[in-house]
Amino acid sequence: MSADPPHEVSSLAELQQLAELIDIIYYEVSGRRSDGFDQPGDDAEEEGDDRADMQLMQRMEGNRLAVRTRALVATSEGRMVADVAALFQTPDPVIIPADIAKRFAEVIATPVTRPYLREALHQSAVKLGIAAPLLSVLDLEDVGLSPTVALRKSAP
């Protein structure tokens, strides 16, 4: 007796209706001050402008879709990393074409993970006693087009 083949999702709207957010997973939250006790072999940050580099990753296994957002923020005061995933589940296993999966990650999942990234980066900075970076407001049309996002620093 064979099982029916998985249904192929035909649109972003269909995937949005099927996928339910079931968990938020932290893979990494870290921070390091730039001043202090440099160790030989430390990868020193280049002098220059503050920056935030973001990566968007996704994985589908059975009926679970994980979308990860990783942000590395480097300022003159320190370096912080936050890596957060939103875990979605569909009622049954589905096949998601690459273009729909990419758009889902950019438009649906990224706005879910963004507040968790912001909070993790902010708390790391507070614990380190450095100015907390603020990621710019998310422009959904620009998500995924560039690995670098605008960065603003809050008052110390």
Side-chain angles (χ1 to χ4, degrees):
M1 188 167 152
S2 65
D4 291 333
H7 165 72
E8 183 168 333
V9 174
S10 62
S11 69
L12 176 61
E14 180 185 4
L15 182 55
Q16 184 177 5
Q17 290 295 316
L18 289 172
E20 176 186 354
L21 178 65
I22 60 169
D23 203 2
I24 298 294
I25 301 167
Y26 286 88
Y27 286 94
E28 180 179 1
V29 176
S30 64
R32 181 177 57 206
R33 288 179 65 109
S34 294
D35 64 343
F37 304 94
D38 294 332
Q39 296 292 319
D42 275 357
D43 55 336
E45 294 296 329
E46 293 179 18
E47 294 293 324
D49 294 336
D50 296 345
R51 72 177 202 285
D53 298 319
M54 294 187 64
Q55 294 177 309
L56 185 60
M57 301 162 270
Q58 58 190 3
R59 181 180 68 224
M60 181 77 189
E61 291 180 4
N63 67 334
R64 292 190 174 200
L65 173 62
V67 180
R68 271 174 82 171
T69 309
R70 184 178 197 281
L72 181 148
V73 177
T75 72
S76 60
E77 296 180 281
R79 177 181 182 274
M80 291 145 286
V81 175
D83 188 346
V84 179
L87 183 60
F88 297 87
Q89 183 171 301
T90 58
D92 298 303
V94 294
I95 297 171
I96 305 171
D99 61 324
I100 294 173
K102 180 178 185 288
R103 197 69 182 141
F104 181 85
E106 293 170 348
V107 175
I108 307 300
T110 298
V112 171
T113 60
R114 187 89 169 191
Y116 294 93
L117 285 175
R118 281 182 168 161
E119 183 273 338
L121 294 170
H122 183 85
Q123 289 300 314
S124 291
V126 168
K127 288 177 182 176
L128 293 172
I130 63 177
L134 298 175
L135 296 179
S136 64
V137 174
L138 183 62
D139 182 351
L140 294 180
E141 294 305 315
D142 291 337
V143 172
L145 300 178
S146 170
T148 303
V149 294
L151 174 70
R152 294 180 299 151
K153 238 196 280 191
S154 68

